[in-house]
Amino acid sequence: MMIERLREYVRAETPTGDAAALNAFADRLAERYAELGATVRREQHPTGDHLIADFPGRADAPLLFLAHHDTVWPVGQLDGAMPWREADGIIHGPGVFDMKGGLVVLETALEQVAGHDHRPLRIVVVADEEIGSPSARELVTAEAKGVYAAVGFEPPHPNGDLKTSRWGSTRVRIEVTGREAHAALDPDSGVSAIDELVDQLIAVRRVVAAHDNVLCNVGTITGGGRTNVVPGSAAADIGFRFVDPQTEESVLDAIARLQPVREAQLDIKLLSNRPAWQPLPETDELLAKVAAAGRSVGQHIAGAPASGAADTNLTGWLGIPTLDGLGPVGKGAHAVHEQVIAATLAERAALVAAIITSL
Protein backbone atom coordinates (compact mmCIF):
# COMPACT_ATOMS: atom_id res chain seq x y z
CA MET A 1 0.00 0.00 0.00
CA MET A 2 2.78 2.47 0.91
CA ILE A 3 4.69 1.68 -2.28
CA GLU A 4 1.58 2.13 -4.37
CA ARG A 5 0.93 5.50 -2.75
CA LEU A 6 4.54 6.53 -3.24
CA ARG A 7 4.33 5.63 -6.90
CA GLU A 8 1.18 7.73 -7.24
CA TYR A 9 2.89 10.68 -5.55
CA VAL A 10 6.08 10.39 -7.58
CA ARG A 11 4.12 10.20 -10.82
CA ALA A 12 2.49 13.52 -9.90
CA GLU A 13 5.54 15.59 -10.78
CA THR A 14 5.68 18.83 -8.78
CA PRO A 15 8.60 21.09 -9.69
CA THR A 16 9.08 24.23 -7.64
CA GLY A 17 7.20 27.12 -9.22
CA ASP A 18 4.71 25.04 -11.21
CA ALA A 19 1.63 26.30 -9.39
CA ALA A 20 -0.85 24.14 -11.29
CA ALA A 21 1.03 20.91 -10.54
CA LEU A 22 1.71 21.84 -6.93
CA ASN A 23 -1.87 22.86 -6.25
CA ALA A 24 -3.24 19.68 -7.79
CA PHE A 25 -0.98 17.68 -5.50
CA ALA A 26 -2.00 19.83 -2.53
CA ASP A 27 -5.62 18.96 -3.37
CA ARG A 28 -4.75 15.27 -2.93
CA LEU A 29 -3.08 15.86 0.42
CA ALA A 30 -5.86 18.13 1.65
CA GLU A 31 -8.51 15.56 0.79
CA ARG A 32 -6.63 12.77 2.52
CA TYR A 33 -5.86 14.79 5.65
CA ALA A 34 -9.52 15.81 5.88
CA GLU A 35 -10.59 12.17 5.58
CA LEU A 36 -8.30 11.40 8.52
CA GLY A 37 -9.97 14.06 10.66
CA ALA A 38 -8.01 17.26 10.05
CA THR A 39 -9.19 20.79 9.58
CA VAL A 40 -7.34 21.90 6.45
CA ARG A 41 -6.35 25.42 5.42
CA ARG A 42 -4.60 26.75 2.31
CA GLU A 43 -2.31 29.73 2.02
CA GLN A 44 -2.39 30.76 -1.60
CA HIS A 45 0.67 31.96 -3.51
CA PRO A 46 1.28 32.58 -7.23
CA THR A 47 4.02 29.94 -7.22
CA GLY A 48 1.99 27.29 -5.39
CA ASP A 49 -0.20 26.96 -2.31
CA HIS A 50 1.00 25.95 1.13
CA LEU A 51 -1.11 23.53 3.15
CA ILE A 52 -1.87 23.55 6.89
CA ALA A 53 -3.71 20.66 8.53
CA ASP A 54 -4.71 20.59 12.21
CA PHE A 55 -5.64 17.31 13.89
CA PRO A 56 -7.43 17.55 17.24
CA GLY A 57 -6.02 16.02 20.40
CA ARG A 58 -5.93 16.44 24.11
CA ALA A 59 -5.55 20.02 25.29
CA ASP A 60 -1.79 20.29 25.11
CA ALA A 61 0.56 22.20 22.82
CA PRO A 62 0.54 20.69 19.33
CA LEU A 63 3.29 18.67 17.74
CA LEU A 64 4.35 20.35 14.50
CA PHE A 65 5.19 18.33 11.38
CA LEU A 66 7.08 20.09 8.57
CA ALA A 67 7.10 18.86 4.97
CA HIS A 68 7.11 20.09 1.37
CA HIS A 69 5.58 18.91 -1.87
CA ASP A 70 7.86 20.58 -4.41
CA THR A 71 10.84 18.82 -6.00
CA VAL A 72 13.90 19.97 -7.93
CA TRP A 73 12.90 17.96 -11.02
CA PRO A 74 11.07 19.37 -14.07
CA VAL A 75 7.95 17.79 -15.49
CA GLY A 76 9.05 15.02 -17.83
CA GLN A 77 11.94 13.79 -15.70
CA LEU A 78 9.93 10.67 -14.87
CA ASP A 79 9.59 9.71 -18.53
CA GLY A 80 13.20 10.61 -19.29
CA ALA A 81 16.31 10.10 -17.19
CA MET A 82 14.56 8.96 -13.99
CA PRO A 83 11.77 6.44 -14.58
CA TRP A 84 10.00 4.83 -11.62
CA ARG A 85 11.82 1.59 -10.94
CA GLU A 86 11.74 -1.07 -8.22
CA ALA A 87 14.63 -3.53 -8.01
CA ASP A 88 16.16 -5.51 -5.14
CA GLY A 89 14.18 -3.62 -2.51
CA ILE A 90 15.21 -0.20 -3.86
CA ILE A 91 12.78 2.33 -5.34
CA HIS A 92 14.02 4.91 -7.85
CA GLY A 93 12.30 8.02 -9.18
CA PRO A 94 12.26 11.83 -9.12
CA GLY A 95 11.34 13.07 -5.64
CA VAL A 96 11.09 9.58 -4.15
CA PHE A 97 13.69 10.51 -1.50
CA ASP A 98 13.22 14.28 -1.30
CA MET A 99 10.51 14.16 -0.18
CA LYS A 100 7.54 12.24 -1.51
CA GLY A 101 8.71 9.29 0.60
CA GLY A 102 8.49 11.44 3.72
CA LEU A 103 4.95 12.49 2.84
CA VAL A 104 3.91 8.84 2.49
CA VAL A 105 5.53 8.02 5.85
CA LEU A 106 3.61 10.84 7.52
CA GLU A 107 0.29 9.93 5.94
CA THR A 108 0.66 6.27 6.89
CA ALA A 109 1.53 7.14 10.48
CA LEU A 110 -1.58 9.32 10.69
CA GLU A 111 -3.66 6.35 9.56
CA GLN A 112 -2.05 4.15 12.21
CA VAL A 113 -2.79 6.53 15.10
CA ALA A 114 -6.40 7.22 14.10
CA GLY A 115 -8.54 6.67 17.19
CA HIS A 116 -5.57 6.75 19.57
CA ASP A 117 -4.95 9.33 22.27
CA HIS A 118 -2.37 11.97 21.35
CA ARG A 119 -1.68 15.67 21.58
CA PRO A 120 -2.90 17.96 18.76
CA LEU A 121 -0.97 17.63 15.51
CA ARG A 122 -0.25 20.40 13.05
CA ILE A 123 1.11 19.71 9.56
CA VAL A 124 2.61 22.40 7.35
CA VAL A 125 3.40 21.37 3.78
CA VAL A 126 5.11 24.13 1.79
CA ALA A 127 5.42 24.60 -1.97
CA ASP A 128 8.85 26.22 -2.36
CA GLU A 129 11.18 24.52 0.11
CA GLU A 130 13.66 23.60 -2.60
CA ILE A 131 14.47 27.28 -3.22
CA GLY A 132 14.63 28.24 0.45
CA SER A 133 10.91 28.69 1.22
CA PRO A 134 10.88 32.42 0.38
CA SER A 135 7.07 32.57 0.45
CA ALA A 136 6.68 30.13 3.36
CA ARG A 137 9.09 31.46 5.95
CA GLU A 138 6.53 33.66 7.70
CA LEU A 139 3.95 30.86 7.59
CA VAL A 140 6.28 28.33 9.19
CA THR A 141 7.31 30.83 11.85
CA ALA A 142 3.70 31.73 12.63
CA GLU A 143 2.45 28.13 12.77
CA ALA A 144 5.37 27.19 15.05
CA LYS A 145 4.30 29.52 17.84
CA GLY A 146 3.39 27.65 21.00
CA VAL A 147 4.13 24.16 19.66
CA TYR A 148 5.54 21.39 21.84
CA ALA A 149 8.19 20.40 19.30
CA ALA A 150 8.81 20.30 15.55
CA VAL A 151 9.60 17.27 13.43
CA GLY A 152 10.64 17.31 9.78
CA PHE A 153 10.18 14.66 7.10
CA GLU A 154 13.27 15.39 5.05
CA PRO A 155 15.60 12.47 4.28
CA PRO A 156 17.71 11.20 7.21
CA HIS A 157 21.46 10.71 7.32
CA PRO A 158 22.65 7.80 5.12
CA ASN A 159 22.67 5.44 8.12
CA GLY A 160 19.15 6.48 9.14
CA ASP A 161 20.17 8.85 11.94
CA LEU A 162 17.93 11.84 12.51
CA LYS A 163 19.18 15.41 12.07
CA THR A 164 19.73 17.39 15.27
CA SER A 165 21.00 20.69 13.86
CA ARG A 166 21.58 22.26 10.45
CA TRP A 167 23.87 24.78 8.83
CA GLY A 168 22.32 28.06 7.80
CA SER A 169 21.52 28.56 4.11
CA THR A 170 21.28 31.85 2.23
CA ARG A 171 20.82 32.57 -1.49
CA VAL A 172 22.18 35.82 -2.89
CA ARG A 173 21.91 37.29 -6.38
CA ILE A 174 24.54 39.68 -7.73
CA GLU A 175 23.21 41.71 -10.67
CA VAL A 176 25.60 43.85 -12.73
CA THR A 177 24.64 46.62 -15.13
CA GLY A 178 27.38 47.72 -17.51
CA ARG A 179 27.24 49.58 -20.81
CA GLU A 180 26.84 48.03 -24.23
CA ALA A 181 29.08 48.94 -27.15
CA HIS A 182 30.44 47.42 -30.34
CA ALA A 183 33.14 44.99 -29.24
CA ALA A 184 35.43 45.86 -32.19
CA LEU A 185 34.57 49.36 -33.39
CA ASP A 186 34.13 51.08 -30.03
CA PRO A 187 35.07 48.74 -27.17
CA ASP A 188 36.46 51.45 -24.91
CA SER A 189 33.06 53.13 -24.61
CA GLY A 190 31.55 49.95 -23.24
CA VAL A 191 31.62 48.48 -19.73
CA SER A 192 31.49 44.70 -19.67
CA ALA A 193 28.99 43.46 -17.13
CA ILE A 194 30.40 39.95 -17.51
CA ASP A 195 33.95 41.04 -16.74
CA GLU A 196 32.64 42.91 -13.72
CA LEU A 197 30.69 39.88 -12.54
CA VAL A 198 33.78 37.68 -12.84
CA ASP A 199 35.75 40.11 -10.70
CA GLN A 200 32.94 40.23 -8.15
CA LEU A 201 32.82 36.42 -7.92
CA ILE A 202 36.57 36.42 -7.28
CA ALA A 203 35.93 38.94 -4.50
CA VAL A 204 33.24 36.65 -3.08
CA ARG A 205 35.77 33.81 -3.00
CA ARG A 206 38.16 36.00 -1.05
CA VAL A 207 35.44 36.76 1.50
CA VAL A 208 34.66 33.07 1.90
CA ALA A 209 38.34 32.15 2.21
CA ALA A 210 38.66 34.56 5.14
CA HIS A 211 36.10 32.59 7.19
CA ASP A 212 36.03 29.07 8.54
CA ASN A 213 33.20 26.62 7.91
CA VAL A 214 31.52 28.38 4.98
CA LEU A 215 30.32 26.64 1.83
CA CYS A 216 29.79 28.69 -1.34
CA ASN A 217 28.30 27.53 -4.62
CA VAL A 218 27.76 29.73 -7.66
CA GLY A 219 24.66 28.00 -8.98
CA THR A 220 23.73 30.07 -12.04
CA ILE A 221 25.37 32.69 -14.25
CA THR A 222 23.58 34.67 -16.94
CA GLY A 223 24.60 37.58 -19.12
CA GLY A 224 25.45 38.96 -22.52
CA GLY A 225 24.07 37.83 -25.84
CA ARG A 226 26.51 38.33 -28.74
CA THR A 227 30.28 38.11 -29.03
CA ASN A 228 30.43 41.36 -31.00
CA VAL A 229 28.62 43.33 -28.26
CA VAL A 230 30.17 44.38 -24.97
CA PRO A 231 27.63 42.87 -22.55
CA GLY A 232 25.50 45.34 -20.65
CA SER A 233 24.06 42.99 -18.02
CA ALA A 234 25.03 39.88 -16.10
CA ALA A 235 23.96 38.12 -12.93
CA ALA A 236 24.85 35.20 -10.68
CA ASP A 237 22.92 33.34 -8.00
CA ILE A 238 25.08 32.12 -5.13
CA GLY A 239 24.25 29.67 -2.36
CA PHE A 240 26.01 30.04 0.98
CA ARG A 241 26.03 27.63 3.95
CA PHE A 242 27.02 28.78 7.44
CA VAL A 243 27.73 26.81 10.58
CA ASP A 244 26.78 29.65 12.95
CA PRO A 245 24.94 33.01 12.91
CA GLN A 246 28.10 35.02 13.59
CA THR A 247 29.84 33.71 10.49
CA GLU A 248 26.69 34.23 8.45
CA GLU A 249 26.43 37.86 9.52
CA SER A 250 30.10 38.54 8.81
CA VAL A 251 30.03 37.00 5.33
CA LEU A 252 26.76 38.59 4.26
CA ASP A 253 27.86 42.01 5.54
CA ALA A 254 31.04 41.72 3.46
CA ILE A 255 29.08 40.66 0.37
CA ALA A 256 26.69 43.58 0.80
CA ARG A 257 29.65 46.00 0.86
CA LEU A 258 31.16 44.84 -2.45
CA GLN A 259 32.06 47.75 -4.73
CA PRO A 260 32.34 47.86 -8.54
CA VAL A 261 35.80 47.47 -10.04
CA ARG A 262 34.88 49.45 -13.18
CA GLU A 263 32.09 51.88 -14.16
CA ALA A 264 29.32 49.38 -13.53
CA GLN A 265 26.42 49.19 -11.15
CA LEU A 266 25.96 46.40 -8.61
CA ASP A 267 22.66 45.27 -7.14
CA ILE A 268 23.03 42.63 -4.44
CA LYS A 269 19.77 40.91 -3.46
CA LEU A 270 18.96 38.48 -0.67
CA LEU A 271 16.76 35.81 -2.28
CA SER A 272 16.14 33.55 0.71
CA ASN A 273 17.56 32.90 4.14
CA ARG A 274 17.40 30.08 6.63
CA PRO A 275 19.43 30.86 9.74
CA ALA A 276 21.67 28.26 11.32
CA TRP A 277 19.94 25.81 13.66
CA GLN A 278 22.54 25.11 16.30
CA PRO A 279 22.61 22.23 18.80
CA LEU A 280 20.22 22.76 21.72
CA PRO A 281 19.78 20.90 25.03
CA GLU A 282 16.04 20.85 24.28
CA THR A 283 16.72 18.95 21.06
CA ASP A 284 18.82 16.41 22.96
CA GLU A 285 15.88 15.88 25.31
CA LEU A 286 13.51 15.45 22.37
CA LEU A 287 15.88 12.97 20.75
CA ALA A 288 15.93 10.90 23.94
CA LYS A 289 12.12 10.72 23.90
CA VAL A 290 12.08 9.80 20.22
CA ALA A 291 14.72 7.14 20.85
CA ALA A 292 12.47 5.69 23.55
CA ALA A 293 9.56 5.68 21.09
CA GLY A 294 11.82 3.90 18.63
CA ARG A 295 12.71 1.21 21.15
CA SER A 296 9.00 0.56 21.67
CA VAL A 297 8.79 -0.56 18.03
CA GLY A 298 12.14 -2.34 17.98
CA GLN A 299 14.21 0.42 16.38
CA HIS A 300 17.48 2.04 17.42
CA ILE A 301 17.28 5.81 16.82
CA ALA A 302 20.23 8.19 17.01
CA GLY A 303 20.93 11.71 15.75
CA ALA A 304 23.70 13.86 14.31
CA PRO A 305 24.19 17.38 12.89
CA ALA A 306 23.57 18.03 9.18
CA SER A 307 25.05 20.48 6.69
CA GLY A 308 21.95 20.75 4.49
CA ALA A 309 19.21 23.25 5.26
CA ALA A 310 15.42 22.88 5.45
CA ASP A 311 12.39 24.47 7.09
CA THR A 312 13.44 22.90 10.40
CA ASN A 313 16.20 25.53 10.43
CA LEU A 314 13.50 28.04 11.30
CA THR A 315 12.05 26.15 14.26
CA GLY A 316 15.48 25.17 15.57
CA TRP A 317 16.67 28.77 15.24
CA LEU A 318 13.63 29.88 17.27
CA GLY A 319 14.70 27.56 20.10
CA ILE A 320 11.89 25.05 19.54
CA PRO A 321 12.93 21.43 20.20
CA THR A 322 13.36 20.13 16.66
CA LEU A 323 14.36 16.96 14.83
CA ASP A 324 14.46 16.24 11.12
CA GLY A 325 15.05 13.25 8.89
CA LEU A 326 11.91 11.17 9.52
CA GLY A 327 11.70 10.29 5.83
CA PRO A 328 12.76 6.84 4.59
CA VAL A 329 16.41 5.86 4.29
CA GLY A 330 17.94 6.25 0.85
CA LYS A 331 20.35 8.41 -1.11
CA GLY A 332 20.71 10.65 -4.13
CA ALA A 333 18.77 13.76 -3.16
CA HIS A 334 18.82 16.15 -6.16
CA ALA A 335 20.67 13.51 -8.23
CA VAL A 336 19.52 11.20 -11.02
CA HIS A 337 20.19 8.12 -8.86
CA GLU A 338 17.67 9.32 -6.21
CA GLN A 339 16.31 6.29 -4.35
CA VAL A 340 14.85 4.91 -1.12
CA ILE A 341 15.05 1.55 0.61
CA ALA A 342 11.51 0.21 0.35
CA ALA A 343 11.50 -1.56 3.73
CA THR A 344 12.26 1.68 5.59
CA LEU A 345 8.96 3.23 4.53
CA ALA A 346 7.03 0.99 6.95
CA GLU A 347 9.75 1.27 9.59
CA ARG A 348 9.61 5.05 9.55
CA ALA A 349 5.80 5.06 9.64
CA ALA A 350 5.84 2.83 12.72
CA LEU A 351 8.38 5.14 14.35
CA VAL A 352 6.33 8.28 13.62
CA ALA A 353 3.17 6.62 14.95
CA ALA A 354 5.04 5.73 18.15
CA ILE A 355 6.30 9.31 18.44
CA ILE A 356 2.78 10.68 18.07
CA THR A 357 1.28 8.44 20.72
CA SER A 358 4.15 8.73 23.21
CA LEU A 359 5.03 12.44 23.21
Side-chain angles (χ1 to χ4, degrees):
M1 180 66 177
M2 294 186 74
I3 294 177
E4 292 174 2
R5 184 174 299 147
L6 179 58
R7 181 172 184 171
E8 174 193 345
Y9 284 4
V10 170
R11 291 197 64 81
E13 295 176 287
T14 51
T16 310
D18 188 332
L22 287 161
N23 291 347
F25 192 88
D27 289 342
R28 298 185 185 198
L29 294 180
E31 181 179 1
R32 188 66 187 124
Y33 294 158
E35 289 174 352
L36 292 169
T39 300
V40 181
R41 294 172 280 144
R42 297 276 280 263
E43 184 175 286
Q44 296 183 338
H45 287 274
T47 55
D49 294 354
H50 310 310
L51 194 69
I52 309 98
D54 286 297
F55 289 83
R58 60 179 183 267
D60 287 324
L63 180 60
L64 175 64
F65 293 143
L66 295 174
H68 65 89
H69 59 305
D70 63 322
T71 75
V72 299
W73 303 111
V75 171
Q77 190 76 7
L78 186 69
D79 295 325
M82 297 176 66
W84 170 275
R85 182 164 58 92
E86 299 178 57
D88 300 323
I90 306 297
I91 302 173
H92 302 256
V96 69
F97 186 48
D98 186 14
M99 63 172 296
K100 299 289 177 66
L103 289 169
V104 170
V105 165
L106 172 56
E107 187 174 329
T108 304
L110 293 171
E111 293 170 352
Q112 293 176 359
V113 302
H116 291 259
D117 185 37
H118 57 74
R119 68 175 59 246
L121 309 175
R122 178 173 299 153
I123 301 171
V124 177
V125 183
V126 310
D128 56 2
E129 190 278 338
E130 294 294 3
I131 59 169
S133 301
S135 73
R137 175 171 177 155
E138 291 184 5
L139 172 68
V140 172
T141 301
E143 296 298 333
K145 291 181 179 178
V147 302
Y148 171 77
V151 177
F153 285 81
E154 294 285 353
H157 287 290
N159 65 351
D161 282 356
L162 303 184
K163 297 176 177 180
T164 57
S165 63
R166 287 184 176 277
W167 286 35
S169 175
T170 297
R171 296 186 308 129
V172 172
R173 177 172 295 159
I174 298 178
E175 294 182 347
V176 180
T177 302
R179 185 166 58 246
E180 293 183 346
H182 195 290
L185 300 179
D186 193 20
D188 291 340
S189 69
V191 177
S192 172
I194 290 179
D195 286 350
E196 179 68 31
L197 180 61
V198 169
D199 288 336
Q200 293 301 325
L201 293 178
I202 292 172
V204 168
R205 291 294 178 185
R206 287 197 293 266
V207 170
V208 171
H211 296 80
D212 294 329
N213 297 320
V214 178
L215 299 178
C216 173
N217 180 58
V218 180
T220 66
I221 292 179
T222 59
R226 298 177 182 273
T227 57
N228 61 352
V229 178
V230 175
S233 62
D237 286 0
I238 310 172
F240 295 97
R241 305 290 175 131
F242 307 101
V243 71
D244 60 71
Q246 295 77 22
T247 302
E248 176 182 15
E249 181 178 1
S250 178
V251 170
L252 294 182
D253 283 350
I255 299 301
R257 293 196 303 270
L258 291 175
Q259 296 297 316
V261 176
R262 50 187 60 72
E263 293 181 6
Q265 295 179 346
L266 295 184
D267 187 8
I268 299 173
K269 298 178 179 179
L270 185 69
L271 299 179
S272 66
N273 169 259
R274 290 185 178 125
W277 158 28
Q278 296 187 285
L280 297 169
E282 293 84 356
T283 293
D284 293 337
E285 295 172 6
L286 177 62
L287 178 62
K289 295 176 181 178
V290 167
R295 289 192 295 272
S296 74
V297 290
Q299 299 182 34
H300 172 73
I301 302 300
S307 56
D311 289 330
T312 44
N313 278 66
L314 299 174
T315 54
W317 170 65
L318 291 170
I320 296 168
T322 300
L323 291 171
D324 207 343
L326 267 295
V329 179
K331 63 182 179 180
H334 302 185
V336 294
H337 63 281
E338 183 174 3
Q339 60 190 258
V340 295
I341 300 173
T344 64
L345 288 163
E347 293 172 1
R348 284 307 215 212
L351 172 61
V352 175
I355 291 171
I356 292 172
T357 55
S358 65
L359 289 185

Short mmCIF file of all heavy atoms in Angstrom, two decimals, residues 5 10 28 46 55 65 90 102 105 114 123 159 169 172 182 195 211 234 268 270 284 288 306 339 341:
data_model
loop_
_atom_site.label_atom_id
_atom_site.label_comp_id
_atom_site.label_asym_id
_atom_site.label_seq_id
_atom_site.Cartn_x
_atom_site.Cartn_y
_atom_site.Cartn_z
N ARG A 5 1.17 4.07 -2.97
CA ARG A 5 0.93 5.50 -2.75
C ARG A 5 2.15 6.32 -3.16
O ARG A 5 2.02 7.40 -3.75
CB ARG A 5 0.58 5.75 -1.29
CG ARG A 5 0.22 7.22 -0.99
CD ARG A 5 -0.26 7.36 0.44
NE ARG A 5 -1.45 6.55 0.67
CZ ARG A 5 -1.75 5.97 1.83
NH1 ARG A 5 -0.94 6.11 2.87
NH2 ARG A 5 -2.84 5.26 1.96
N VAL A 10 4.94 10.10 -6.73
CA VAL A 10 6.08 10.39 -7.58
C VAL A 10 5.63 10.67 -9.01
O VAL A 10 6.20 11.55 -9.70
CB VAL A 10 7.09 9.23 -7.54
CG1 VAL A 10 8.17 9.38 -8.61
CG2 VAL A 10 7.74 9.14 -6.15
N ARG A 28 -4.78 16.67 -3.37
CA ARG A 28 -4.75 15.27 -2.93
C ARG A 28 -4.46 15.18 -1.43
O ARG A 28 -5.14 14.45 -0.70
CB ARG A 28 -3.66 14.51 -3.67
CG ARG A 28 -3.83 14.40 -5.16
CD ARG A 28 -2.74 13.51 -5.73
NE ARG A 28 -2.79 13.47 -7.20
CZ ARG A 28 -2.21 12.53 -7.93
NH1 ARG A 28 -1.56 11.55 -7.32
NH2 ARG A 28 -2.27 12.55 -9.23
N PRO A 46 1.20 32.72 -5.76
CA PRO A 46 1.28 32.58 -7.23
C PRO A 46 2.14 31.40 -7.67
O PRO A 46 1.93 30.84 -8.74
CB PRO A 46 1.87 33.91 -7.69
CG PRO A 46 1.55 34.88 -6.59
CD PRO A 46 1.58 34.09 -5.33
N PHE A 55 -4.95 18.48 13.35
CA PHE A 55 -5.64 17.31 13.89
C PHE A 55 -5.91 17.54 15.37
O PHE A 55 -5.00 17.93 16.11
CB PHE A 55 -4.80 16.05 13.72
CG PHE A 55 -4.69 15.57 12.30
CD1 PHE A 55 -3.74 16.13 11.44
CD2 PHE A 55 -5.52 14.58 11.82
CE1 PHE A 55 -3.63 15.69 10.14
CE2 PHE A 55 -5.42 14.13 10.51
CZ PHE A 55 -4.47 14.69 9.67
N PHE A 65 4.53 19.11 12.42
CA PHE A 65 5.19 18.33 11.38
C PHE A 65 5.46 19.25 10.18
O PHE A 65 4.54 19.91 9.69
CB PHE A 65 4.32 17.16 10.93
CG PHE A 65 4.13 16.10 11.98
CD1 PHE A 65 2.92 15.45 12.11
CD2 PHE A 65 5.16 15.75 12.83
CE1 PHE A 65 2.73 14.46 13.06
CE2 PHE A 65 4.99 14.77 13.79
CZ PHE A 65 3.78 14.12 13.91
N ILE A 90 14.89 -1.62 -3.70
CA ILE A 90 15.21 -0.20 -3.86
C ILE A 90 14.22 0.42 -4.84
O ILE A 90 13.93 -0.16 -5.89
CB ILE A 90 16.65 0.01 -4.38
CG1 ILE A 90 17.65 -0.72 -3.48
CG2 ILE A 90 16.97 1.48 -4.47
CD1 ILE A 90 17.70 -0.21 -2.06
N GLY A 102 8.83 10.91 2.40
CA GLY A 102 8.49 11.44 3.72
C GLY A 102 7.01 11.73 3.86
O GLY A 102 6.41 11.51 4.92
N VAL A 105 5.29 8.44 4.46
CA VAL A 105 5.53 8.02 5.85
C VAL A 105 4.58 8.75 6.80
O VAL A 105 3.93 8.13 7.65
CB VAL A 105 7.00 8.27 6.24
CG1 VAL A 105 7.18 8.18 7.76
CG2 VAL A 105 7.92 7.28 5.55
N ALA A 114 -4.99 6.82 14.09
CA ALA A 114 -6.40 7.22 14.10
C ALA A 114 -7.14 6.49 15.23
O ALA A 114 -7.04 5.27 15.36
CB ALA A 114 -7.05 6.90 12.76
N ILE A 123 0.26 20.00 10.72
CA ILE A 123 1.11 19.71 9.56
C ILE A 123 1.19 20.95 8.69
O ILE A 123 0.17 21.56 8.36
CB ILE A 123 0.53 18.54 8.74
CG1 ILE A 123 0.42 17.28 9.60
CG2 ILE A 123 1.39 18.27 7.50
CD1 ILE A 123 -0.34 16.15 8.92
N ASN A 159 22.84 6.61 7.25
CA ASN A 159 22.67 5.44 8.12
C ASN A 159 21.33 5.43 8.85
O ASN A 159 21.09 4.57 9.69
CB ASN A 159 23.81 5.38 9.14
CG ASN A 159 23.79 6.55 10.12
OD1 ASN A 159 23.03 7.51 9.94
ND2 ASN A 159 24.63 6.49 11.14
N SER A 169 21.49 28.53 5.58
CA SER A 169 21.52 28.56 4.11
C SER A 169 20.94 29.87 3.62
O SER A 169 19.81 30.24 3.98
CB SER A 169 20.71 27.38 3.56
OG SER A 169 20.63 27.44 2.15
N VAL A 172 21.93 34.43 -2.53
CA VAL A 172 22.18 35.82 -2.89
C VAL A 172 22.30 35.93 -4.40
O VAL A 172 22.88 35.06 -5.06
CB VAL A 172 23.49 36.32 -2.22
CG1 VAL A 172 23.86 37.71 -2.74
CG2 VAL A 172 23.33 36.36 -0.70
N HIS A 182 29.93 48.36 -29.34
CA HIS A 182 30.44 47.42 -30.34
C HIS A 182 31.79 46.90 -29.86
O HIS A 182 32.69 47.68 -29.50
CB HIS A 182 30.60 48.11 -31.70
CG HIS A 182 30.76 47.17 -32.84
ND1 HIS A 182 31.91 46.41 -33.01
CD2 HIS A 182 29.95 46.85 -33.88
CE1 HIS A 182 31.79 45.66 -34.09
NE2 HIS A 182 30.60 45.92 -34.65
N ASP A 195 32.64 40.88 -17.38
CA ASP A 195 33.95 41.04 -16.74
C ASP A 195 33.80 41.50 -15.29
O ASP A 195 34.50 41.02 -14.39
CB ASP A 195 34.80 42.05 -17.51
CG ASP A 195 35.32 41.49 -18.83
OD1 ASP A 195 35.18 40.27 -19.04
OD2 ASP A 195 35.86 42.28 -19.64
N HIS A 211 36.93 33.13 6.11
CA HIS A 211 36.10 32.59 7.19
C HIS A 211 36.19 31.07 7.21
O HIS A 211 36.36 30.42 6.18
CB HIS A 211 34.63 33.00 6.98
CG HIS A 211 34.40 34.47 7.07
ND1 HIS A 211 34.66 35.32 6.04
CD2 HIS A 211 33.91 35.22 8.09
CE1 HIS A 211 34.34 36.56 6.40
NE2 HIS A 211 33.88 36.53 7.64
N ALA A 234 24.62 41.22 -16.51
CA ALA A 234 25.03 39.88 -16.10
C ALA A 234 24.58 39.67 -14.67
O ALA A 234 24.36 40.63 -13.92
CB ALA A 234 26.54 39.69 -16.22
N ILE A 268 22.87 43.88 -5.17
CA ILE A 268 23.03 42.63 -4.44
C ILE A 268 21.74 42.35 -3.67
O ILE A 268 21.33 43.14 -2.82
CB ILE A 268 24.24 42.70 -3.49
CG1 ILE A 268 25.50 42.95 -4.32
CG2 ILE A 268 24.36 41.42 -2.68
CD1 ILE A 268 26.74 43.21 -3.50
N LEU A 270 19.13 39.67 -1.49
CA LEU A 270 18.96 38.48 -0.67
C LEU A 270 17.71 37.75 -1.16
O LEU A 270 16.60 38.27 -1.07
CB LEU A 270 18.80 38.87 0.80
CG LEU A 270 18.72 37.73 1.81
CD1 LEU A 270 20.06 37.03 1.92
CD2 LEU A 270 18.28 38.26 3.18
N ASP A 284 18.29 17.66 22.39
CA ASP A 284 18.82 16.41 22.96
C ASP A 284 17.74 15.69 23.77
O ASP A 284 17.61 14.46 23.71
CB ASP A 284 20.03 16.70 23.85
CG ASP A 284 21.22 17.20 23.06
OD1 ASP A 284 21.28 16.93 21.85
OD2 ASP A 284 22.09 17.86 23.65
N ALA A 288 16.03 12.01 22.98
CA ALA A 288 15.93 10.90 23.94
C ALA A 288 14.52 10.33 23.98
O ALA A 288 14.33 9.10 24.05
CB ALA A 288 16.36 11.39 25.33
N ALA A 306 23.64 18.11 10.64
CA ALA A 306 23.57 18.03 9.18
C ALA A 306 24.02 19.34 8.57
O ALA A 306 23.84 20.42 9.15
CB ALA A 306 22.15 17.70 8.73
N GLN A 339 16.90 7.58 -4.68
CA GLN A 339 16.31 6.29 -4.35
C GLN A 339 16.02 6.17 -2.86
O GLN A 339 16.59 6.89 -2.05
CB GLN A 339 17.27 5.16 -4.75
CG GLN A 339 18.61 5.24 -4.05
CD GLN A 339 19.61 4.26 -4.63
OE1 GLN A 339 19.87 3.21 -4.05
NE2 GLN A 339 20.19 4.62 -5.78
N ILE A 341 15.14 2.96 0.27
CA ILE A 341 15.05 1.55 0.61
C ILE A 341 13.60 1.26 0.97
O ILE A 341 13.07 1.83 1.94
CB ILE A 341 15.99 1.21 1.77
CG1 ILE A 341 17.44 1.52 1.38
CG2 ILE A 341 15.85 -0.26 2.17
CD1 ILE A 341 18.42 1.37 2.52
#
